[in-house]
Amino acid sequence: MSLVIAPCSHEAAKYAVMNWHYSQQMPISKLINFGVWEDEKFIGAVIYGRGASPELGAPYGLTQIECCELVRVALTQHKASVSQIVSLTIKKLKETNPGLRLIVSFADPEQNHTGTIYQAMNWIYCGTSATSKEYYYKGKWFHSRMLRPTGFGTIPEIARLTKEQQKQLPTRENRGKFRYIYPLDKPMRRKVEKMRLPYPSAVEGSEASRNTSGIEGQVQSLPTALLNGK
Amino acid sequence: MKISITELSLDPKNARKHSQRNLDAIAASLEKFGQRKPIVVHRGVVLAGNGTLEAAKTLGWTEIDVAEVPDDWDDETAKAYALADNRTAELAEWDESELAKQLLELQDADWDITELGFEVPKLLDEPNFQPEDIEQPRLDQRAPIMCPQCSFEWRVGAKGEIEPV
């Protein structure tokens, strides 16, 4: 089996995200898109970016240009392991961006993701990100940033609602996402190794507790393929 | 028969769990199509349709259509029915090719198929993108700045130093 990691077009990366990533949402910041080919067939993309926050590297004493975020791993059926694929993209990233010292990535417990890829690659787990507020609109939950008039992730249809209308929407608090970091050089590894916490378990991932207001009933977050078309 | 949602309780022993995504899809379906089949209850406990009840609550519904199983069913019969109801649906399989075809037809007719709980269908003939010989942006560099007077270009480095471009 041949495995090739190489730059790919934005169109290819977007196709992978829209078809093979749960979010079906392409980040809009400056991105580095690596395509993945097995036996000459395009099987997805691994995407790095600056992330949603300019303070991404601040907890580690890094500026915005020393730190990046692994924002999407969007793969269809593959033979190589995800950790092998991501490792190869990191190698390429280091070659083309020698000034980077750390990669940050997040696993979303709402999707029952605990970060098993990162655990397999010995990334450092350093707790959860800040909690976020979500709003329920037309059958879906949206992050609060999507309600802002402008900026990353804005959904115009919701952003156009008046403040009063937005206040009427059901809300819930989400526990933060699991945060993993991967140092790219030895001094950085020595520096951040002390931040390492025990890896979260699958149980913690499925018990993403939150407070829901405006809607009744307990909302669960456990896996099922029902209605998923798979 | 419609009854108040407050008279119903979810089956605490339901072996079938509903993800948020699943509940969102059910809620979207209820919103779009209404409730077209009743949930099945036994002495006020939902045997089949726990997800539908949860989704209806998120939509703020106060009443829901129910069908009651015979009152003389014992707990074991009710349990067996609840498991069988989930399992029989689970044993069915999709004809992937027909499914993709129909989803694409709906998408062409401006239906949001993600609201139906489906992902954007894989095209029957997926494009095989090729590696590109393109210059990727640099994440370890800030955008260059040009002096409007002398056209000198520089960027600010990681430690705030000035780097000529």
Side-chain angles (χ1 to χ4, degrees):
Chain A
M1 189 263 300
S2 70
L3 175 64
V4 172
I5 306 289
C8 68
S9 65
H10 184 82
E11 181 195 7
K14 187 171 180 181
Y15 180 87
V17 169
M18 300 307 284
N19 287 278
W20 302 324
H21 193 266
Y22 71 88
S23 71
Q24 295 186 333
Q25 193 181 13
M26 188 71 176
I28 53 169
S29 63
K30 189 189 275 190
L31 300 173
I32 293 182
N33 303 313
F34 289 113
V36 186
W37 287 263
E38 279 183 351
D39 295 331
E40 299 182 3
K41 185 176 184 334
F42 178 71
I43 57 148
V46 178
I47 306 172
Y48 296 87
R50 289 255 164 89
S53 167
E55 301 297 316
L56 185 69
Y60 322 102
L62 299 176
T63 62
Q64 197 183 15
I65 57 173
E66 294 173 298
C67 182
C68 72
E69 183 179 334
L70 169 55
V71 286
R72 296 285 185 274
V73 178
L75 301 171
T76 184
Q77 289 186 340
H78 49 89
K79 295 171 193 156
S81 68
V82 181
S83 52
Q84 184 188 2
I85 292 168
V86 173
S87 293
L88 289 169
T89 64
I90 290 175
K91 195 174 165 203
K92 295 253 179 202
L93 182 74
K94 280 172 73 171
E95 286 169 9
T96 54
N97 286 259
L100 289 176
R101 304 195 61 202
L102 186 87
I103 305 170
V104 180
S105 197
F106 299 93
D108 188 355
E110 293 299 326
Q111 302 294 329
N112 283 336
H113 294 170
T114 50
T116 46
I117 308 166
Y118 311 123
Q119 294 175 16
M121 293 171 65
N122 197 31
W123 286 50
I124 295 167
Y125 171 65
C126 38
T128 52
S129 61
T131 58
S132 62
K133 193 170 187 179
E134 291 189 330
Y135 291 80
Y136 190 75
Y137 181 70
K138 288 196 174 176
K140 289 181 183 172
W141 290 98
F142 294 92
H143 192 279
S144 55
R145 70 167 172 268
M146 296 173 178
L147 279 71
R148 293 181 199 144
T150 56
F152 173 73
T154 289
I155 307 284
E157 187 182 342
I158 316 177
R160 274 197 294 270
L161 298 176
T162 64
K163 290 274 176 214
E164 272 312 305
Q165 286 172 318
Q166 289 187 353
K167 272 186 193 168
Q168 302 296 319
L169 299 177
T171 60
R172 71 180 182 191
E173 287 287 333
N174 263 350
R175 189 174 67 175
K177 294 180 179 174
F178 298 129
R179 181 197 294 261
Y180 289 85
I181 57 175
Y182 190 84
L184 296 171
D185 59 61
K186 282 182 181 168
M188 182 50 61
R189 177 164 285 280
R190 277 196 295 274
K191 185 176 177 182
V192 295
E193 187 62 44
K194 54 192 162 209
M195 296 179 174
R196 184 187 287 274
L197 297 172
Y199 288 141
S201 66
V203 174
E204 287 171 82
S206 67
E207 287 178 350
S209 60
R210 52 180 170 236
N211 298 318
T212 306
S213 70
I215 57 173
E216 294 175 53
Q218 192 66 34
V219 187
Q220 296 179 32
S221 182
L222 290 167
T224 172
L226 195 68
L227 277 171
N228 191 15
K230 298 249 171 178
Chain B
M1 176 177 63
K2 268 196 189 300
I3 69 168
S4 167
I5 275 180
T6 56
E7 290 175 35
L8 295 171
S9 54
L10 297 171
D11 180 0
K13 292 180 183 167
N14 186 16
R16 191 82 170 160
K17 301 299 180 192
H18 296 277
S19 67
Q20 187 56 48
R21 182 176 173 186
N22 177 215
L23 292 174
D24 290 348
I26 298 172
S29 169
L30 289 175
E31 220 172 11
K32 192 169 282 290
F33 306 113
Q35 187 190 3
R36 295 293 157 210
K37 59 181 181 184
I39 61 175
V40 182
V41 300
H42 179 233
R43 296 173 192 159
V45 177
V46 179
L47 297 182
N50 282 280
T52 302
L53 177 61
E54 282 191 72
K57 284 179 177 176
T58 66
L59 295 173
W61 288 16
T62 54
E63 289 189 320
I64 197 158
D65 263 329
V66 301
E68 289 186 352
V69 300
D71 199 47
D72 60 359
W73 274 20
D74 58 23
D75 289 346
E76 272 185 9
T77 309
K79 187 191 298 177
Y81 170 77
L83 291 176
D85 178 73
N86 277 315
R87 186 60 175 157
T88 47
E90 189 181 62
L91 289 173
E93 286 181 4
W94 290 104
D95 177 335
E96 295 288 347
S97 154
E98 185 59 32
L99 174 66
K101 187 169 157 250
Q102 292 190 25
L103 289 175
L104 287 170
E105 284 169 2
L106 285 174
Q107 213 175 26
D108 286 345
D110 286 339
W111 281 74
D112 180 357
I113 58 163
T114 61
E115 282 190 2
L116 307 180
F118 290 95
E119 294 171 359
V120 176
K122 292 180 178 120
L123 298 173
L124 300 180
D125 296 309
E126 283 177 347
N128 194 17
F129 297 100
Q130 297 301 315
E132 300 270 346
D133 188 15
I134 48 176
E135 196 177 333
Q136 299 264 35
R138 294 279 296 264
L139 296 178
D140 62 347
Q141 289 180 347
R142 290 194 174 90
I145 301 164
M146 183 188 284
C147 170
Q149 303 297 323
C150 65
S151 299
F152 175 70
E153 264 194 290
W154 80 95
R155 63 165 58 93
V156 182
K159 307 295 175 211
E161 71 278 21
I162 301 295
E163 293 174 347
V165 176

